[in-house]
Amino acid sequence: MSLTVPPALLDAAERGPIDDADFVACVRDSLPYAWATVSRVVADLESGGGERADNVIPPPTEAERGQLLRALASDAIRAGLERHFGVKLAFQNCHRVAAFRPSAVDSDAYRRFISPRGQLLNQSPELRDC
């Protein structure tokens, strides 16, 4: 299961649209490793002044790896994180998540990161099973 949904939030979702803040809180509470990783990458972006920051540290366990995969593989979760943090997220492998400033989405750096070449250059024998 991707998210642990509180009964009140599930009831609200059954009745209609839900508040984005409630959804993001559910993501934060359900996927703490993914939340911490994205938060750290966004903080690095904000403090670094560049157009991108990314995580190159593999998750310590398969459980954490699963959290990151679930967060970034879900369109709804990824979009919620992007809206909350005001960034564009990009993902490679099982752990390499990058945050881009919205103004950098059409940049060479973004296009290189999301390109097939960028994906291939980010491969290594250690990451084949991730």
Side-chain angles (χ1 to χ4, degrees), residues 3-42:
L3 299 174
T4 303
V5 183
L9 184 57
L10 184 57
D11 289 343
E14 288 172 347
R15 288 191 306 274
I18 61 150
D19 183 72
D20 211 33
D22 292 335
F23 177 67
V24 170
C26 180
V27 170
R28 181 195 63 226
D29 296 345
S30 299
L31 304 172
Y33 176 81
W35 180 269
T37 300
V38 171
S39 295
R40 183 174 34 79
V41 170
V42 171

Side-chain angles (χ1 to χ4, degrees), residues 52-101:
R52 154 183 144 208
D54 64 287
N55 176 63
V56 294
I57 303 165
T61 70
E62 288 303 310
E64 281 92 357
R65 183 183 322 278
Q67 284 188 33
L68 200 55
L69 290 170
R70 286 193 303 279
L72 295 166
S74 164
D75 290 338
I77 295 173
R78 183 193 297 220
L81 292 170
E82 289 174 338
R83 287 188 303 274
H84 176 77
F85 289 108
V87 299
K88 175 67 175 164
L89 297 173
F91 189 53
Q92 290 181 343
N93 288 348
C94 56
H95 69 278
R96 190 155 184 214
V97 59
F100 290 84
R101 297 182 192 288

